[in-house]
Every structure is written in structure tokens, then in C-alpha cells.
């Protein structure tokens, strides 16, 4: 699994002209899934996200987690995180997971984040044409890949 975490002051996702989910301060997470990803990858990422200390403390040092600030999370499926761009100029997404494999892992990821956060996370709709809006805070953007845990 690959994710891009953006620390935001606010974020929302709109589908067919209607706001589907929105959050205030917290994380906007773009998540890409490939066919060899497992629930162990979900567990590892959730643990990392919940413990990630990238919010400022009273001394303006990034020392607080999403839990410490009572933040919110919006998760958007993003198969294009597995773009292959080595040949030519038109990317290929052959490494992205199939819907049959990816949707259950995406749902598990969102559910586990909700459980750990202690409140629902906002989501997009897997496979939908989504318009994502955000006010990046910092900016702070972190990429994680479960194939690079070490």
C-alpha cells in the first residue's frame, strides 16, 4: 500500500456536485492499493498514521499526533499512486490492485482508522470521479509505502 498524508486545516471531497465528506484540522490521506497488499499492511499503516507526530505543540515543534489534537481524517482511494511511467509519456496503472482486492482493503483501512481515532473518518467513493479540495497546513506532506517498512 502507498499513502500520501497531507496535514490540512480542512479538506473535502465532492462527487457529482455534492460534498460527500469534509473534515476540519487533521489528515487528508490518499491511498493506493496493489494486489499483493494484505491486512498486515493495513495494520502497519494505521499504527504509523495514528502515532505520527506532525502537529505543533505549544513551542511550535511538530510533537503532537492526530490523537493529541483530536484531529479528523479524510481517506481517498487513489489508484494512480501506482502509476508506471518508465515507458513513454502515458502512465500505466497495471500495478494498481483490482477492485475485488482493493475495495475490501480500503474499507478495512478506513474502519481501522476510525476505530483507532475513536470517531468516523471521512471517505470518498472507491472508483468515483472525485473533486478533492484541501487547505494544506505547513505544507506537511508525507509518503509511506508498506514495501519500504525498514
Amino acid at each position: 500500500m502507498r499513502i500520501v498524508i497531507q496535514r490540512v486545516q480542512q479538506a473535502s471531497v465532492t462527487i457529482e456536485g455534492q460534498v460527500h465528506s469534509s473534515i476540519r484540522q487533521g489528515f487528508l490521506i490518499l491511498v493506493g492499493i496493489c494486489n499483493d497488499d494484505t491486512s498486515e499492511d493495513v495494520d502497519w499503516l494505521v499504527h504509523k498514521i495514528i502515532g505520527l507526530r506532525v502537529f505543533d505543540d505549544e513551542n511550535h515543534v511538530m510533537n503532537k499526533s492526530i490523537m493529541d489534537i483530536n484531529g479528523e481524517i479524510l481517506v481517498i482511494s487513489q489508484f494512480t499512486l501506482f502509476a508506471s511511467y518508465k515507458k513513454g509519456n502515458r502512465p500505466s496503472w497495471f500495478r494498481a490492485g483490482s477492485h475485488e482486492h482493493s475495495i475490501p482493503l480500503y474499507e478495512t483501512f478506513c474502519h481501522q482508522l476510525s476505530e483507532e481515532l475513536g470517531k468516523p473518518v471521512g471517505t470518498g467513493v472507491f472508483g468515483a470521479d472525485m473533486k478533492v479540495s484541501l487547505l494544506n497546513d505547513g505544507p506537511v506532506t508525507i509518503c509511506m509505502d508498506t514495501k519500504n517498512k525498514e
Side-chain angles (χ1 to χ4, degrees), residues 4-12 22-30 54-56 66 69-76 132-142:
V4 175
I5 301 171
Q6 293 183 304
R7 188 178 76 178
V8 298
Q9 289 184 359
Q10 63 189 35
S12 64
S22 64
I23 63 166
R24 292 226 175 265
Q25 184 182 29
F27 290 143
L28 168 65
I29 301 175
L30 306 175
V54 295
F55 295 96
D56 289 351
I66 191 90
I69 65 150
N70 195 29
E72 298 180 290
I73 297 176
L74 175 59
V75 180
I76 305 296
V132 179
S133 175
L134 68 136
L135 181 56
N136 203 320
D137 183 15
V140 174
T141 303
I142 296 174

PDB file of all heavy atoms in Angstrom, residues 4-12 22-30 54-56 66 69-76 132-142:
ATOM      1  N   VAL A   4      -0.240   8.923   0.698  1.00  0.00           N
ATOM      2  CA  VAL A   4       0.256  10.284   0.797  1.00  0.00           C
ATOM      3  C   VAL A   4      -0.595  10.942   1.871  1.00  0.00           C
ATOM      4  O   VAL A   4      -1.824  10.986   1.767  1.00  0.00           O
ATOM      5  CB  VAL A   4       0.132  11.048  -0.537  1.00  0.00           C
ATOM      6  CG1 VAL A   4       0.552  12.503  -0.366  1.00  0.00           C
ATOM      7  CG2 VAL A   4       0.939  10.367  -1.630  1.00  0.00           C
ATOM      8  N   ILE A   5       0.076  11.412   2.929  1.00  0.00           N
ATOM      9  CA  ILE A   5      -0.611  12.079   4.035  1.00  0.00           C
ATOM     10  C   ILE A   5      -0.342  13.568   3.909  1.00  0.00           C
ATOM     11  O   ILE A   5       0.816  13.981   3.817  1.00  0.00           O
ATOM     12  CB  ILE A   5      -0.071  11.603   5.399  1.00  0.00           C
ATOM     13  CG1 ILE A   5      -0.241  10.100   5.551  1.00  0.00           C
ATOM     14  CG2 ILE A   5      -0.733  12.359   6.536  1.00  0.00           C
ATOM     15  CD1 ILE A   5       0.475   9.542   6.775  1.00  0.00           C
ATOM     16  N   GLN A   6      -1.397  14.353   3.921  1.00  0.00           N
ATOM     17  CA  GLN A   6      -1.238  15.795   3.925  1.00  0.00           C
ATOM     18  C   GLN A   6      -1.889  16.344   5.189  1.00  0.00           C
ATOM     19  O   GLN A   6      -3.063  16.040   5.470  1.00  0.00           O
ATOM     20  CB  GLN A   6      -1.857  16.410   2.682  1.00  0.00           C
ATOM     21  CG  GLN A   6      -1.101  15.996   1.427  1.00  0.00           C
ATOM     22  CD  GLN A   6      -1.640  16.651   0.195  1.00  0.00           C
ATOM     23  OE1 GLN A   6      -2.810  16.542  -0.108  1.00  0.00           O
ATOM     24  NE2 GLN A   6      -0.771  17.349  -0.518  1.00  0.00           N
ATOM     25  N   ARG A   7      -1.109  17.111   5.937  1.00  0.00           N
ATOM     26  CA  ARG A   7      -1.664  17.782   7.107  1.00  0.00           C
ATOM     27  C   ARG A   7      -2.488  18.950   6.579  1.00  0.00           C
ATOM     28  O   ARG A   7      -2.009  19.752   5.787  1.00  0.00           O
ATOM     29  CB  ARG A   7      -0.535  18.281   8.012  1.00  0.00           C
ATOM     30  CG  ARG A   7      -1.020  18.828   9.339  1.00  0.00           C
ATOM     31  CD  ARG A   7       0.125  19.263  10.199  1.00  0.00           C
ATOM     32  NE  ARG A   7       0.658  20.535   9.715  1.00  0.00           N
ATOM     33  CZ  ARG A   7       1.661  21.188  10.294  1.00  0.00           C
ATOM     34  NH1 ARG A   7       2.279  20.688  11.344  1.00  0.00           N
ATOM     35  NH2 ARG A   7       2.080  22.345   9.793  1.00  0.00           N
ATOM     36  N   VAL A   8      -3.744  19.011   7.012  1.00  0.00           N
ATOM     37  CA  VAL A   8      -4.656  20.021   6.475  1.00  0.00           C
ATOM     38  C   VAL A   8      -5.355  20.794   7.589  1.00  0.00           C
ATOM     39  O   VAL A   8      -5.539  20.291   8.696  1.00  0.00           O
ATOM     40  CB  VAL A   8      -5.729  19.384   5.553  1.00  0.00           C
ATOM     41  CG1 VAL A   8      -5.089  18.722   4.340  1.00  0.00           C
ATOM     42  CG2 VAL A   8      -6.606  18.391   6.292  1.00  0.00           C
ATOM     43  N   GLN A   9      -5.742  22.010   7.235  1.00  0.00           N
ATOM     44  CA  GLN A   9      -6.626  22.775   8.121  1.00  0.00           C
ATOM     45  C   GLN A   9      -8.071  22.402   7.844  1.00  0.00           C
ATOM     46  O   GLN A   9      -8.913  22.466   8.725  1.00  0.00           O
ATOM     47  CB  GLN A   9      -6.407  24.270   7.942  1.00  0.00           C
ATOM     48  CG  GLN A   9      -5.084  24.740   8.498  1.00  0.00           C
ATOM     49  CD  GLN A   9      -4.913  26.242   8.391  1.00  0.00           C
ATOM     50  OE1 GLN A   9      -5.765  26.954   7.881  1.00  0.00           O
ATOM     51  NE2 GLN A   9      -3.784  26.722   8.876  1.00  0.00           N
ATOM     52  N   GLN A  10      -8.330  21.996   6.594  1.00  0.00           N
ATOM     53  CA  GLN A  10      -9.642  21.490   6.200  1.00  0.00           C
ATOM     54  C   GLN A  10      -9.508  20.773   4.871  1.00  0.00           C
ATOM     55  O   GLN A  10      -8.582  21.033   4.110  1.00  0.00           O
ATOM     56  CB  GLN A  10     -10.671  22.620   6.094  1.00  0.00           C
ATOM     57  CG  GLN A  10     -10.317  23.637   5.029  1.00  0.00           C
ATOM     58  CD  GLN A  10     -11.212  24.851   5.064  1.00  0.00           C
ATOM     59  OE1 GLN A  10     -11.627  25.288   6.120  1.00  0.00           O
ATOM     60  NE2 GLN A  10     -11.506  25.404   3.900  1.00  0.00           N
ATOM     61  N   ALA A  11     -10.431  19.855   4.605  1.00  0.00           N
ATOM     62  CA  ALA A  11     -10.446  19.134   3.332  1.00  0.00           C
ATOM     63  C   ALA A  11     -11.852  18.614   3.074  1.00  0.00           C
ATOM     64  O   ALA A  11     -12.624  18.394   4.012  1.00  0.00           O
ATOM     65  CB  ALA A  11      -9.452  17.970   3.350  1.00  0.00           C
ATOM     66  N   SER A  12     -12.162  18.414   1.797  1.00  0.00           N
ATOM     67  CA  SER A  12     -13.463  17.855   1.438  1.00  0.00           C
ATOM     68  C   SER A  12     -13.352  17.120   0.114  1.00  0.00           C
ATOM     69  O   SER A  12     -12.424  17.339  -0.664  1.00  0.00           O
ATOM     70  CB  SER A  12     -14.527  18.957   1.329  1.00  0.00           C
ATOM     71  OG  SER A  12     -14.206  19.846   0.275  1.00  0.00           O
ATOM     72  N   SER A  22     -16.348  15.913   4.519  1.00  0.00           N
ATOM     73  CA  SER A  22     -15.465  17.038   4.792  1.00  0.00           C
ATOM     74  C   SER A  22     -14.927  16.923   6.212  1.00  0.00           C
ATOM     75  O   SER A  22     -15.555  16.308   7.079  1.00  0.00           O
ATOM     76  CB  SER A  22     -16.198  18.370   4.599  1.00  0.00           C
ATOM     77  OG  SER A  22     -17.241  18.506   5.532  1.00  0.00           O
ATOM     78  N   ILE A  23     -13.742  17.486   6.409  1.00  0.00           N
ATOM     79  CA  ILE A  23     -13.118  17.488   7.731  1.00  0.00           C
ATOM     80  C   ILE A  23     -12.546  18.865   8.022  1.00  0.00           C
ATOM     81  O   ILE A  23     -12.333  19.666   7.118  1.00  0.00           O
ATOM     82  CB  ILE A  23     -11.998  16.427   7.864  1.00  0.00           C
ATOM     83  CG1 ILE A  23     -10.842  16.712   6.895  1.00  0.00           C
ATOM     84  CG2 ILE A  23     -12.544  15.021   7.675  1.00  0.00           C
ATOM     85  CD1 ILE A  23      -9.565  15.943   7.187  1.00  0.00           C
ATOM     86  N   ARG A  24     -12.272  19.075   9.275  1.00  0.00           N
ATOM     87  CA  ARG A  24     -11.508  20.248   9.704  1.00  0.00           C
ATOM     88  C   ARG A  24     -10.056  19.798   9.894  1.00  0.00           C
ATOM     89  O   ARG A  24      -9.601  18.914   9.198  1.00  0.00           O
ATOM     90  CB  ARG A  24     -12.108  20.798  10.980  1.00  0.00           C
ATOM     91  CG  ARG A  24     -13.494  21.396  10.755  1.00  0.00           C
ATOM     92  CD  ARG A  24     -13.576  22.731  11.463  1.00  0.00           C
ATOM     93  NE  ARG A  24     -14.814  23.427  11.199  1.00  0.00           N
ATOM     94  CZ  ARG A  24     -14.953  24.337  10.249  1.00  0.00           C
ATOM     95  NH1 ARG A  24     -13.959  24.625   9.451  1.00  0.00           N
ATOM     96  NH2 ARG A  24     -16.081  24.967  10.097  1.00  0.00           N
ATOM     97  N   GLN A  25      -9.338  20.331  10.869  1.00  0.00           N
ATOM     98  CA  GLN A  25      -7.924  20.041  11.056  1.00  0.00           C
ATOM     99  C   GLN A  25      -7.653  18.543  11.173  1.00  0.00           C
ATOM    100  O   GLN A  25      -8.351  17.827  11.893  1.00  0.00           O
ATOM    101  CB  GLN A  25      -7.413  20.733  12.320  1.00  0.00           C
ATOM    102  CG  GLN A  25      -5.925  20.561  12.520  1.00  0.00           C
ATOM    103  CD  GLN A  25      -5.431  21.218  13.794  1.00  0.00           C
ATOM    104  OE1 GLN A  25      -6.162  21.329  14.764  1.00  0.00           O
ATOM    105  NE2 GLN A  25      -4.177  21.639  13.785  1.00  0.00           N
ATOM    106  N   GLY A  26      -6.632  18.096  10.468  1.00  0.00           N
ATOM    107  CA  GLY A  26      -6.249  16.686  10.532  1.00  0.00           C
ATOM    108  C   GLY A  26      -5.454  16.251   9.333  1.00  0.00           C
ATOM    109  O   GLY A  26      -4.577  16.969   8.859  1.00  0.00           O
ATOM    110  N   PHE A  27      -5.780  15.052   8.836  1.00  0.00           N
ATOM    111  CA  PHE A  27      -5.068  14.454   7.708  1.00  0.00           C
ATOM    112  C   PHE A  27      -6.007  14.185   6.543  1.00  0.00           C
ATOM    113  O   PHE A  27      -7.086  13.622   6.722  1.00  0.00           O
ATOM    114  CB  PHE A  27      -4.474  13.091   8.085  1.00  0.00           C
ATOM    115  CG  PHE A  27      -3.321  13.116   9.045  1.00  0.00           C
ATOM    116  CD1 PHE A  27      -3.200  12.115   9.999  1.00  0.00           C
ATOM    117  CD2 PHE A  27      -2.340  14.090   8.985  1.00  0.00           C
ATOM    118  CE1 PHE A  27      -2.140  12.091  10.880  1.00  0.00           C
ATOM    119  CE2 PHE A  27      -1.268  14.086   9.867  1.00  0.00           C
ATOM    120  CZ  PHE A  27      -1.165  13.086  10.816  1.00  0.00           C
ATOM    121  N   LEU A  28      -5.555  14.550   5.353  1.00  0.00           N
ATOM    122  CA  LEU A  28      -6.123  14.041   4.113  1.00  0.00           C
ATOM    123  C   LEU A  28      -5.172  12.939   3.685  1.00  0.00           C
ATOM    124  O   LEU A  28      -3.959  13.176   3.548  1.00  0.00           O
ATOM    125  CB  LEU A  28      -6.190  15.122   3.040  1.00  0.00           C
ATOM    126  CG  LEU A  28      -6.495  14.611   1.623  1.00  0.00           C
ATOM    127  CD1 LEU A  28      -7.888  14.015   1.546  1.00  0.00           C
ATOM    128  CD2 LEU A  28      -6.313  15.714   0.608  1.00  0.00           C
ATOM    129  N   ILE A  29      -5.689  11.726   3.508  1.00  0.00           N
ATOM    130  CA  ILE A  29      -4.852  10.591   3.138  1.00  0.00           C
ATOM    131  C   ILE A  29      -5.314  10.034   1.796  1.00  0.00           C
ATOM    132  O   ILE A  29      -6.467   9.633   1.650  1.00  0.00           O
ATOM    133  CB  ILE A  29      -4.906   9.478   4.208  1.00  0.00           C
ATOM    134  CG1 ILE A  29      -4.436  10.021   5.561  1.00  0.00           C
ATOM    135  CG2 ILE A  29      -4.066   8.278   3.779  1.00  0.00           C
ATOM    136  CD1 ILE A  29      -4.573   9.033   6.709  1.00  0.00           C
ATOM    137  N   LEU A  30      -4.389  10.023   0.841  1.00  0.00           N
ATOM    138  CA  LEU A  30      -4.617   9.371  -0.446  1.00  0.00           C
ATOM    139  C   LEU A  30      -4.030   7.979  -0.326  1.00  0.00           C
ATOM    140  O   LEU A  30      -2.881   7.829   0.110  1.00  0.00           O
ATOM    141  CB  LEU A  30      -3.929  10.146  -1.568  1.00  0.00           C
ATOM    142  CG  LEU A  30      -4.268  11.640  -1.669  1.00  0.00           C
ATOM    143  CD1 LEU A  30      -3.421  12.293  -2.748  1.00  0.00           C
ATOM    144  CD2 LEU A  30      -5.743  11.838  -1.935  1.00  0.00           C
ATOM    145  N   VAL A  54       3.196  15.153  13.815  1.00  0.00           N
ATOM    146  CA  VAL A  54       3.469  16.227  12.865  1.00  0.00           C
ATOM    147  C   VAL A  54       2.643  17.484  13.134  1.00  0.00           C
ATOM    148  O   VAL A  54       2.596  18.387  12.300  1.00  0.00           O
ATOM    149  CB  VAL A  54       3.275  15.766  11.403  1.00  0.00           C
ATOM    150  CG1 VAL A  54       4.294  14.698  11.027  1.00  0.00           C
ATOM    151  CG2 VAL A  54       1.859  15.290  11.159  1.00  0.00           C
ATOM    152  N   PHE A  55       1.990  17.539  14.290  1.00  0.00           N
ATOM    153  CA  PHE A  55       1.232  18.726  14.667  1.00  0.00           C
ATOM    154  C   PHE A  55       2.008  19.482  15.738  1.00  0.00           C
ATOM    155  O   PHE A  55       2.641  18.876  16.604  1.00  0.00           O
ATOM    156  CB  PHE A  55      -0.165  18.340  15.171  1.00  0.00           C
ATOM    157  CG  PHE A  55      -1.012  17.726  14.103  1.00  0.00           C
ATOM    158  CD1 PHE A  55      -1.090  16.342  13.976  1.00  0.00           C
ATOM    159  CD2 PHE A  55      -1.721  18.519  13.217  1.00  0.00           C
ATOM    160  CE1 PHE A  55      -1.851  15.763  12.979  1.00  0.00           C
ATOM    161  CE2 PHE A  55      -2.483  17.946  12.211  1.00  0.00           C
ATOM    162  CZ  PHE A  55      -2.560  16.561  12.094  1.00  0.00           C
ATOM    163  N   ASP A  56       1.951  20.805  15.673  1.00  0.00           N
ATOM    164  CA  ASP A  56       2.741  21.639  16.563  1.00  0.00           C
ATOM    165  C   ASP A  56       2.273  21.567  18.013  1.00  0.00           C
ATOM    166  O   ASP A  56       1.072  21.548  18.295  1.00  0.00           O
ATOM    167  CB  ASP A  56       2.683  23.101  16.120  1.00  0.00           C
ATOM    168  CG  ASP A  56       3.457  23.352  14.838  1.00  0.00           C
ATOM    169  OD1 ASP A  56       4.175  22.434  14.382  1.00  0.00           O
ATOM    170  OD2 ASP A  56       3.339  24.467  14.298  1.00  0.00           O
ATOM    171  N   ILE A  66      -2.224  13.046  15.723  1.00  0.00           N
ATOM    172  CA  ILE A  66      -3.637  13.296  15.378  1.00  0.00           C
ATOM    173  C   ILE A  66      -4.523  13.094  16.598  1.00  0.00           C
ATOM    174  O   ILE A  66      -5.506  13.809  16.791  1.00  0.00           O
ATOM    175  CB  ILE A  66      -4.074  12.409  14.183  1.00  0.00           C
ATOM    176  CG1 ILE A  66      -5.440  12.830  13.634  1.00  0.00           C
ATOM    177  CG2 ILE A  66      -4.105  10.932  14.534  1.00  0.00           C
ATOM    178  CD1 ILE A  66      -5.361  13.845  12.557  1.00  0.00           C
ATOM    179  N   ILE A  69      -4.390  16.168  19.113  1.00  0.00           N
ATOM    180  CA  ILE A  69      -5.105  17.387  18.727  1.00  0.00           C
ATOM    181  C   ILE A  69      -6.590  17.126  18.468  1.00  0.00           C
ATOM    182  O   ILE A  69      -7.313  18.027  18.063  1.00  0.00           O
ATOM    183  CB  ILE A  69      -4.471  18.036  17.480  1.00  0.00           C
ATOM    184  CG1 ILE A  69      -4.624  17.129  16.260  1.00  0.00           C
ATOM    185  CG2 ILE A  69      -3.026  18.409  17.741  1.00  0.00           C
ATOM    186  CD1 ILE A  69      -4.714  17.877  14.966  1.00  0.00           C
ATOM    187  N   ASN A  70      -7.033  15.874  18.692  1.00  0.00           N
ATOM    188  CA  ASN A  70      -8.422  15.497  18.409  1.00  0.00           C
ATOM    189  C   ASN A  70      -8.769  15.796  16.947  1.00  0.00           C
ATOM    190  O   ASN A  70      -9.839  16.316  16.641  1.00  0.00           O
ATOM    191  CB  ASN A  70      -9.386  16.195  19.367  1.00  0.00           C
ATOM    192  CG  ASN A  70     -10.763  15.563  19.357  1.00  0.00           C
ATOM    193  OD1 ASN A  70     -10.911  14.373  19.095  1.00  0.00           O
ATOM    194  ND2 ASN A  70     -11.780  16.358  19.624  1.00  0.00           N
ATOM    195  N   GLY A  71      -7.832  15.470  16.048  1.00  0.00           N
ATOM    196  CA  GLY A  71      -7.991  15.771  14.636  1.00  0.00           C
ATOM    197  C   GLY A  71      -8.914  14.805  13.912  1.00  0.00           C
ATOM    198  O   GLY A  71      -9.387  13.811  14.470  1.00  0.00           O
ATOM    199  N   GLU A  72      -9.158  15.124  12.664  1.00  0.00           N
ATOM    200  CA  GLU A  72     -10.037  14.330  11.808  1.00  0.00           C
ATOM    201  C   GLU A  72      -9.246  13.788  10.622  1.00  0.00           C
ATOM    202  O   GLU A  72      -8.158  14.299  10.309  1.00  0.00           O
ATOM    203  CB  GLU A  72     -11.206  15.184  11.320  1.00  0.00           C
ATOM    204  CG  GLU A  72     -12.084  15.699  12.452  1.00  0.00           C
ATOM    205  CD  GLU A  72     -13.230  16.545  11.953  1.00  0.00           C
ATOM    206  OE1 GLU A  72     -12.978  17.669  11.473  1.00  0.00           O
ATOM    207  OE2 GLU A  72     -14.381  16.080  12.033  1.00  0.00           O
ATOM    208  N   ILE A  73      -9.798  12.778   9.970  1.00  0.00           N
ATOM    209  CA  ILE A  73      -9.124  12.150   8.826  1.00  0.00           C
ATOM    210  C   ILE A  73     -10.122  11.975   7.682  1.00  0.00           C
ATOM    211  O   ILE A  73     -11.257  11.556   7.893  1.00  0.00           O
ATOM    212  CB  ILE A  73      -8.523  10.775   9.212  1.00  0.00           C
ATOM    213  CG1 ILE A  73      -7.445  10.948  10.287  1.00  0.00           C
ATOM    214  CG2 ILE A  73      -7.953  10.071   7.984  1.00  0.00           C
ATOM    215  CD1 ILE A  73      -6.856   9.631  10.804  1.00  0.00           C
ATOM    216  N   LEU A  74      -9.654  12.285   6.475  1.00  0.00           N
ATOM    217  CA  LEU A  74     -10.393  12.040   5.239  1.00  0.00           C
ATOM    218  C   LEU A  74      -9.533  11.127   4.378  1.00  0.00           C
ATOM    219  O   LEU A  74      -8.363  11.439   4.115  1.00  0.00           O
ATOM    220  CB  LEU A  74     -10.676  13.360   4.516  1.00  0.00           C
ATOM    221  CG  LEU A  74     -11.337  13.286   3.139  1.00  0.00           C
ATOM    222  CD1 LEU A  74     -12.695  12.590   3.206  1.00  0.00           C
ATOM    223  CD2 LEU A  74     -11.472  14.686   2.547  1.00  0.00           C
ATOM    224  N   VAL A  75     -10.086   9.977   3.966  1.00  0.00           N
ATOM    225  CA  VAL A  75      -9.345   8.979   3.185  1.00  0.00           C
ATOM    226  C   VAL A  75      -9.935   8.888   1.782  1.00  0.00           C
ATOM    227  O   VAL A  75     -11.144   8.664   1.626  1.00  0.00           O
ATOM    228  CB  VAL A  75      -9.405   7.587   3.862  1.00  0.00           C
ATOM    229  CG1 VAL A  75      -8.625   6.563   3.041  1.00  0.00           C
ATOM    230  CG2 VAL A  75      -8.872   7.646   5.284  1.00  0.00           C
ATOM    231  N   ILE A  76      -9.075   9.031   0.784  1.00  0.00           N
ATOM    232  CA  ILE A  76      -9.492   8.995  -0.617  1.00  0.00           C
ATOM    233  C   ILE A  76      -8.721   7.890  -1.335  1.00  0.00           C
ATOM    234  O   ILE A  76      -7.487   7.851  -1.273  1.00  0.00           O
ATOM    235  CB  ILE A  76      -9.198  10.343  -1.312  1.00  0.00           C
ATOM    236  CG1 ILE A  76      -9.838  11.508  -0.560  1.00  0.00           C
ATOM    237  CG2 ILE A  76      -9.624  10.303  -2.776  1.00  0.00           C
ATOM    238  CD1 ILE A  76     -11.343  11.496  -0.522  1.00  0.00           C
ATOM    239  N   VAL A 132     -11.332  16.774  -5.002  1.00  0.00           N
ATOM    240  CA  VAL A 132     -10.809  16.896  -3.645  1.00  0.00           C
ATOM    241  C   VAL A 132     -10.295  18.314  -3.445  1.00  0.00           C
ATOM    242  O   VAL A 132      -9.525  18.823  -4.256  1.00  0.00           O
ATOM    243  CB  VAL A 132      -9.681  15.872  -3.389  1.00  0.00           C
ATOM    244  CG1 VAL A 132      -9.123  16.016  -1.981  1.00  0.00           C
ATOM    245  CG2 VAL A 132     -10.188  14.448  -3.629  1.00  0.00           C
ATOM    246  N   SER A 133     -10.736  18.918  -2.358  1.00  0.00           N
ATOM    247  CA  SER A 133     -10.318  20.267  -2.011  1.00  0.00           C
ATOM    248  C   SER A 133      -9.633  20.223  -0.661  1.00  0.00           C
ATOM    249  O   SER A 133     -10.077  19.499   0.241  1.00  0.00           O
ATOM    250  CB  SER A 133     -11.551  21.173  -1.958  1.00  0.00           C
ATOM    251  OG  SER A 133     -11.201  22.461  -1.521  1.00  0.00           O
ATOM    252  N   LEU A 134      -8.547  20.985  -0.517  1.00  0.00           N
ATOM    253  CA  LEU A 134      -7.859  20.986   0.764  1.00  0.00           C
ATOM    254  C   LEU A 134      -7.154  22.303   0.987  1.00  0.00           C
ATOM    255  O   LEU A 134      -6.783  23.004   0.042  1.00  0.00           O
ATOM    256  CB  LEU A 134      -6.843  19.842   0.857  1.00  0.00           C
ATOM    257  CG  LEU A 134      -5.633  19.960  -0.066  1.00  0.00           C
ATOM    258  CD1 LEU A 134      -4.376  19.603   0.699  1.00  0.00           C
ATOM    259  CD2 LEU A 134      -5.803  19.039  -1.248  1.00  0.00           C
ATOM    260  N   LEU A 135      -6.967  22.626   2.252  1.00  0.00           N
ATOM    261  CA  LEU A 135      -6.120  23.719   2.658  1.00  0.00           C
ATOM    262  C   LEU A 135      -4.962  23.078   3.392  1.00  0.00           C
ATOM    263  O   LEU A 135      -5.080  22.680   4.554  1.00  0.00           O
ATOM    264  CB  LEU A 135      -6.886  24.701   3.558  1.00  0.00           C
ATOM    265  CG  LEU A 135      -6.102  25.921   4.041  1.00  0.00           C
ATOM    266  CD1 LEU A 135      -5.525  26.703   2.859  1.00  0.00           C
ATOM    267  CD2 LEU A 135      -7.001  26.809   4.878  1.00  0.00           C
ATOM    268  N   ASN A 136      -3.846  22.918   2.656  1.00  0.00           N
ATOM    269  CA  ASN A 136      -2.671  22.248   3.193  1.00  0.00           C
ATOM    270  C   ASN A 136      -2.094  23.098   4.310  1.00  0.00           C
ATOM    271  O   ASN A 136      -2.035  24.316   4.196  1.00  0.00           O
ATOM    272  CB  ASN A 136      -1.655  22.036   2.071  1.00  0.00           C
ATOM    273  CG  ASN A 136      -0.689  20.924   2.354  1.00  0.00           C
ATOM    274  OD1 ASN A 136      -0.227  20.763   3.464  1.00  0.00           O
ATOM    275  ND2 ASN A 136      -0.374  20.163   1.324  1.00  0.00           N
ATOM    276  N   ASP A 137      -1.683  22.457   5.386  1.00  0.00           N
ATOM    277  CA  ASP A 137      -1.176  23.140   6.566  1.00  0.00           C
ATOM    278  C   ASP A 137       0.315  22.895   6.689  1.00  0.00           C
ATOM    279  O   ASP A 137       0.751  21.794   6.982  1.00  0.00           O
ATOM    280  CB  ASP A 137      -1.915  22.631   7.810  1.00  0.00           C
ATOM    281  CG  ASP A 137      -1.516  23.339   9.082  1.00  0.00           C
ATOM    282  OD1 ASP A 137      -0.889  24.414   9.007  1.00  0.00           O
ATOM    283  OD2 ASP A 137      -1.847  22.819  10.159  1.00  0.00           O
ATOM    284  N   GLY A 138       1.099  23.915   6.425  1.00  0.00           N
ATOM    285  CA  GLY A 138       2.545  23.788   6.561  1.00  0.00           C
ATOM    286  C   GLY A 138       3.288  24.307   5.339  1.00  0.00           C
ATOM    287  O   GLY A 138       3.912  25.333   5.407  1.00  0.00           O
ATOM    288  N   PRO A 139       3.300  23.627   4.234  1.00  0.00           N
ATOM    289  CA  PRO A 139       2.692  22.321   3.997  1.00  0.00           C
ATOM    290  C   PRO A 139       3.501  21.184   4.628  1.00  0.00           C
ATOM    291  O   PRO A 139       4.721  21.253   4.695  1.00  0.00           O
ATOM    292  CB  PRO A 139       2.712  22.186   2.480  1.00  0.00           C
ATOM    293  CG  PRO A 139       3.862  23.024   2.036  1.00  0.00           C
ATOM    294  CD  PRO A 139       3.984  24.146   3.031  1.00  0.00           C
ATOM    295  N   VAL A 140       2.774  20.193   5.079  1.00  0.00           N
ATOM    296  CA  VAL A 140       3.370  18.959   5.572  1.00  0.00           C
ATOM    297  C   VAL A 140       2.780  17.833   4.751  1.00  0.00           C
ATOM    298  O   VAL A 140       1.564  17.621   4.781  1.00  0.00           O
ATOM    299  CB  VAL A 140       3.099  18.737   7.079  1.00  0.00           C
ATOM    300  CG1 VAL A 140       3.614  17.376   7.516  1.00  0.00           C
ATOM    301  CG2 VAL A 140       3.729  19.846   7.912  1.00  0.00           C
ATOM    302  N   THR A 141       3.617  17.149   3.993  1.00  0.00           N
ATOM    303  CA  THR A 141       3.195  16.034   3.149  1.00  0.00           C
ATOM    304  C   THR A 141       4.178  14.892   3.346  1.00  0.00           C
ATOM    305  O   THR A 141       5.385  15.087   3.217  1.00  0.00           O
ATOM    306  CB  THR A 141       3.163  16.447   1.662  1.00  0.00           C
ATOM    307  OG1 THR A 141       2.291  17.576   1.518  1.00  0.00           O
ATOM    308  CG2 THR A 141       2.678  15.306   0.786  1.00  0.00           C
ATOM    309  N   ILE A 142       3.641  13.713   3.672  1.00  0.00           N
ATOM    310  CA  ILE A 142       4.480  12.548   3.947  1.00  0.00           C
ATOM    311  C   ILE A 142       3.981  11.368   3.113  1.00  0.00           C
ATOM    312  O   ILE A 142       2.777  11.104   3.075  1.00  0.00           O
ATOM    313  CB  ILE A 142       4.449  12.200   5.451  1.00  0.00           C
ATOM    314  CG1 ILE A 142       5.060  13.365   6.237  1.00  0.00           C
ATOM    315  CG2 ILE A 142       5.171  10.885   5.732  1.00  0.00           C
ATOM    316  CD1 ILE A 142       4.969  13.233   7.720  1.00  0.00           C
TER     317      ILE A 142
END
